[in-house]
Amino acid sequence: MTQQINALTQPLKSDLLFELMVSPARMAVLETVIEMELTDILDKIHDPKVIAEKLEVETDETNLIYFLDAMTALGFAEKRNGTYTNTPFSKSFLLKKSPTYLGGMVKNISRMQHHNLLRIPALILQGPPEIKNKNKLDSEEKWKNSVRHLACYQKADMAKRTSALISSLPEYPSMRRMLDLGCGPGIMCMAVVSNHPFMEGTLCDMPPIMEVAREEITAAGLESRITTIPGDYNEVNFGTGYDLIWASQTLYYAKDLESMFSRIHNALNPGGVFISLHEGLTCERTQPPDIVLSRLSLALEGQDVSFEQGEIASYLPGAGFATVETKTMNMPLGPAELVIARKNR
């Protein structure tokens, strides 16, 4: 009898199929929450009848309650005695007034990751389609439209992780100048600079992105400690004399990696540190699954930009770096490869 019960409680080999089947419903709930701004409504209204009035529901609130229950099942809401409130998760990431609101970023990422999913068979048979300039990954227009959402993501997670990582380096106390290469809104560099008593930072990215970064610098009161270099990092002179150069999920757009790493090495002071944080695909580019699947849509349209594990590190000795170490760092979108390279003193 015990063996029979144990057999019934063990995971089934087919469990993965049913988990995959419910995934579209999870995404549909999330997208609906964002579209209908339900987290903002729950911030003030908790009774389903009143929520229905706010939404101008045309019938009774039956379907609304079904949906609020689904929100609760996913951890977006709490239900008690028939009323609903936001969870701490929703307050942090799905409430529009939150500085770490990620609704806009969800929309951007879902457009990139999902827009080809209904035509996968055609893309397999016919190959990559022609891509409009505004949808190319290196398009200034694309990044100008998404950089404000990226700022919220960096504030929500990456800035803290980056600051903690860099402050753990033995060279950290003596560092004075940092370059954030392909910085986006620059929040990660701002966090590092803010937590250091003397460090100054330089942000380098395309001009439309730097407009947003300068707004963030002003809002943080760091005008005296952070400067900007607007331009394509393949072409612009990003200077020298840095103790730290940070490049996070940006080297996809380097036209010549060998040349780029030589320039980075030359820009560092003796004993300077270069840190790269990008994915590192393994098992013949089939793992980690979260990274592979999240980039399938882009890959099918000819925009496969993912690095393989060890790929970035392989260039660094030739660029002149004395030591190179690699680690795995867990990220919200999946594990990434952290590469720390040091220049001779």
Side-chain angles (χ1 to χ4, degrees):
M1 183 65 176
T2 302
Q3 289 180 338
Q4 291 175 329
I5 293 175
N6 288 339
L8 290 172
T9 58
Q10 293 301 308
L12 301 174
K13 293 182 179 180
S14 60
D15 280 0
L16 174 60
L17 293 177
F18 295 97
E19 180 182 338
L20 293 173
M21 288 171 63
V22 80
S23 294
R26 295 176 190 270
M27 192 63 199
V29 170
L30 175 58
E31 290 179 330
T32 302
V33 169
I34 294 169
E35 179 183 344
M36 299 185 72
E37 301 181 356
L38 283 164
T39 304
D40 295 83
I41 293 174
L42 288 183
D43 192 46
K44 299 176 181 178
I45 306 172
H46 312 297
D47 187 309
K49 288 184 181 293
V50 184
I51 296 172
E53 293 174 4
K54 173 71 175 178
L55 291 171
E56 299 181 354
V57 171
E58 297 177 4
T59 58
D60 63 26
E61 63 273 14
T62 300
N63 278 358
L64 171 63
I65 290 173
Y66 285 141
F67 187 81
L68 292 170
D69 287 346
M71 282 182 63
T72 304
L74 280 177
F76 298 158
E78 295 177 351
K79 184 177 184 180
R80 188 168 298 171
N81 299 322
T83 62
Y84 299 85
T85 56
N86 286 319
T87 60
F89 175 90
S90 290
K91 290 178 181 178
S92 293
F93 305 123
L94 299 177
L95 191 63
K96 271 193 165 182
K97 66 183 181 181
S98 168
T100 55
Y101 171 71
L102 297 182
M105 188 170 185
V106 168
K107 289 181 179 180
N108 281 342
I109 291 179
S110 63
R111 275 194 293 266
M112 285 194 295
Q113 294 184 358
H114 301 161
H115 75 285
N116 285 317
L117 298 187
L118 296 180
R119 56 174 182 161
I120 288 178
L123 292 173
I124 291 172
L125 297 174
Q126 300 167 14
E130 184 177 350
I131 305 169
K132 296 179 179 179
N133 285 334
K134 68 177 183 178
N135 291 327
K136 292 181 179 178
L137 287 178
D138 59 356
S139 162
E140 287 194 26
E141 181 181 355
K142 185 180 188 68
W143 286 108
K144 182 178 181 180
N145 293 334
S146 63
V147 67
R148 294 187 189 279
H149 305 311
L150 182 58
C152 292
Y153 165 68
Q154 291 185 356
K155 291 175 184 177
D157 186 83
M158 277 306 301
K160 293 178 182 178
R161 292 181 187 230
T162 300
S163 182
L165 167 67
I166 292 173
S167 65
S168 70
L169 297 173
E171 298 91 346
Y172 175 74
S174 62
M175 286 179 172
R176 293 296 180 270
R177 292 188 68 211
M178 170 184 179
L179 169 65
D180 191 341
L181 194 62
C183 59
I187 306 300
M188 293 184 285
C189 179
M190 293 178 210
V192 175
V193 168
S194 295
N195 290 333
H196 193 287
F198 312 113
M199 190 181 290
E200 296 180 352
T202 299
L203 307 178
C204 179
D205 214 319
M206 294 180 287
I209 296 174
M210 287 294 89
E211 292 175 16
V212 176
R214 282 191 285 268
E215 293 175 11
E216 294 288 349
I217 292 169
T218 300
L222 292 171
E223 300 96 323
S224 64
R225 297 181 65 185
I226 296 183
T227 57
T228 61
I229 301 175
D232 182 343
Y233 62 36
N234 290 289
E235 302 169 0
V236 74
N237 180 0
F238 47 72
T240 58
Y242 299 107
D243 301 301
L244 170 68
I245 297 179
W246 168 265
S248 173
Q249 296 178 309
T250 183
L251 293 174
Y252 315 116
Y253 316 113
K255 295 176 182 177
D256 182 336
L257 284 172
E258 187 173 341
S259 172
M260 176 59 70
F261 292 128
S262 292
R263 291 177 66 203
I264 289 172
H265 181 268
N266 292 337
L268 285 169
N269 286 326
V273 181
F274 167 60
I275 302 180
S276 158
L277 182 62
H278 295 76
E279 72 294 320
L281 299 183
T282 62
C283 302
E284 300 182 52
R285 300 183 69 86
T286 66
Q287 300 293 320
D290 288 346
I291 301 295
V292 174
L293 293 172
S294 68
R295 297 188 176 179
L296 174 62
S297 181
L298 288 170
L300 288 171
E301 64 182 27
Q303 299 201 84
D304 181 9
V305 296
S306 298
F307 290 105
E308 292 189 52
Q309 189 176 81
E311 184 176 352
I312 289 175
S314 69
Y315 286 91
L316 300 180
F321 285 95
T323 63
V324 180
E325 60 177 303
T326 61
K327 302 177 181 179
T328 298
M329 184 170 176
N330 291 322
M331 303 280 287
L333 297 176
E337 184 175 50
L338 177 71
V339 181
I340 302 175
R342 291 177 167 86
K343 184 175 179 176
N344 264 329
R345 294 187 178 278

